[in-house]
Amino acid sequence: MPTVQVTDLKDGDFLLDVREDDEWRAGHAAGALHIPMSGFVARYGELTEAAPQDGRVNVICRSGARSAQVTVYLAQQGIDAVNVEGGMGAWAAAGRPVVDDEGKPGQVV
C-alpha cells in the first residue's frame, strides 16, 4: 500500500481525514475534508466531488490503521490514494497545526 510521510506533504495537498466526529472536533488539519470511515461508502460522492481530478488523495486518521483501509478501498476504485504514515499523531509531532472547529488550537485524541 502506498504511504507518504507527514514531512513530505506540502501546504495545499489534498487531505482526507477519516476519523470519527469526536476526534475531528477535538483537532484536525485545517483544510482537510472530513468523512468518517464509519460512513465512508455512503458518503463516497463527497470525496469524488472535492478531490482534485488528477491529484492524489492523502488519507489520514489518528495512527494510520483506518486510513490504510480507506486507502486500499480508494485504490480499488481507481483513485490515486496514499496513507499518511503515523496519522494525526505524526502530524502533530511534526509541528503541523492542529485546529478545532472554530480554528483555535486543537488536540489529537
Side-chain angles (χ1 to χ4, degrees):
M1 171 192 26
T3 61
V4 64
Q5 301 293 319
V6 167
T7 53
D8 293 330
L9 294 173
K10 298 173 186 62
D11 290 342
D13 282 350
F14 187 83
L15 191 63
L16 170 65
D17 190 324
V18 297
R19 295 175 304 143
E20 296 304 315
D21 291 336
D22 60 327
E23 295 171 287
W24 170 265
R25 282 190 302 272
H28 56 270
L33 173 65
H34 178 231
I35 304 176
M37 182 177 160
S38 61
F40 186 78
V41 174
R43 294 178 58 187
Y44 178 74
E46 292 177 43
L47 171 67
T48 58
E49 289 178 17
Q53 294 302 311
D54 295 323
R56 184 171 74 180
V57 175
N58 300 286
V59 188
I60 197 165
C61 67
R62 184 174 51 86
S63 63
R66 289 173 285 179
S67 55
Q69 293 176 49
V70 172
T71 299
V72 168
Y73 175 80
L74 291 175
Q76 291 171 344
Q77 307 310 308
I79 298 204
D80 180 13
V82 295
N83 186 34
V84 178
E85 192 166 310
M88 285 300 295
W91 180 274
R96 297 284 182 109
V98 176
V99 297
D100 66 12
D101 280 345
E102 298 175 0
K104 297 177 183 171
Q107 61 183 356
V108 177
V109 296

